[in-house]
Amino acid sequence: ERQVLEDREDEQIVRMSDGVVARVPKRGGTMPEWIDYTLKDRQSWEEHYKWRLDPATPGRITDEFRRLCRQEWPKRDYPIIIACGSVLGEIRNYLGLENFAYIQYDDPALFREMVETVGACIATTLEAALAEARDAGVTFDLGHFWEDICYNHGPLIHPTAFEEVAAPQIKRI
């Protein structure tokens, strides 16, 4: 859950729902400034993230999704899109850009585990969502998948790591 850690005159220091600690202006209008990350190492991965990414967690398919499949989407005259997530982008968000770059080299086994865990969560949840939709006679016109794998000076992931670690999960999804 989102948690206000500190309430200042013009801003709040907030732990966002993904574990990122950010400075958030009260007036809005600008992006938060990310100042810390909950995910730092294997211990924080196990404690705060891995268990939350269990695809068998009840509620992954929401009642609202089921309602849309049964009531709204069968009558639609517009295209519908299903979100397919991001394997590397989510991990980059949890770790921060710099830590994302380092973990691939400092702890490649943990990096692989993270990618495989996020990939399994996305793929398994999508399978269940698509089955729910199919049972209601709904098909999607587009699956939206994103990856943030480059910056303005080059890739955020080594091409070999992408090929060996990320690509199998992306293909699975």
Side-chain angles (χ1 to χ4, degrees):
E1 292 182 20
R2 186 178 193 273
Q3 177 187 15
V4 176
L5 303 175
E6 197 175 328
D7 196 349
R8 300 176 178 170
E9 186 177 327
D10 293 335
E11 65 187 12
Q12 292 180 326
I13 305 300
V14 177
R15 182 175 314 279
M16 309 297 253
S17 62
D18 61 2
V20 175
V21 177
R23 186 181 337 266
V24 181
K26 286 185 176 178
R27 289 186 303 276
T30 61
M31 287 184 58
E33 176 188 353
W34 291 268
I35 55 178
D36 198 14
Y37 301 90
T38 301
L39 181 54
K40 298 179 185 299
D41 52 24
R42 179 165 293 282
Q43 180 180 341
S44 57
W45 166 249
E46 297 282 343
E47 183 179 347
H48 299 290
Y49 290 87
K50 186 175 180 180
W51 62 272
R52 285 186 169 98
L53 295 164
D54 179 354
T57 300
R60 291 250 179 244
I61 307 301
T62 65
D63 290 339
E64 176 63 6
F65 181 85
R66 287 187 175 95
R67 184 194 71 74
L68 290 167
C69 284
R70 304 273 180 229
Q71 297 173 13
E72 181 74 25
W73 290 334
K75 302 178 283 185
R76 79 190 193 289
D77 61 354
Y78 52 86
I80 55 173
I81 300 168
I82 190 164
C84 300
S86 168
V87 175
L88 299 171
E90 290 298 334
I91 296 168
R92 191 268 341 264
N93 289 349
Y94 300 155
L95 284 165
L97 184 62
E98 186 174 342
N99 294 330
F100 177 81
Y102 280 123
I103 199 163
Q104 299 168 54
Y105 299 96
D106 292 347
D107 195 341
L110 177 57
F111 179 69
R112 178 181 293 274
E113 182 179 318
M114 287 183 200
V115 172
E116 289 173 353
T117 301
V118 170
C121 183
I122 294 169
T124 305
T125 303
L126 272 173
E127 287 170 359
L130 292 171
E132 184 79 31
R134 191 172 37 253
D135 289 348
V138 172
T139 57
F140 291 91
D141 300 292
L142 175 73
H144 177 262
F145 182 84
W146 66 278
E147 283 300 353
D148 190 0
I149 58 172
C150 289
Y151 196 57
N152 64 353
H153 294 294
L156 300 175
I157 182 170
H158 190 280
T160 303
F162 181 84
E163 181 76 26
E164 294 176 0
V165 179
Q169 298 307 314
I170 292 168
K171 287 177 184 174
R172 178 179 178 194
I173 292 165

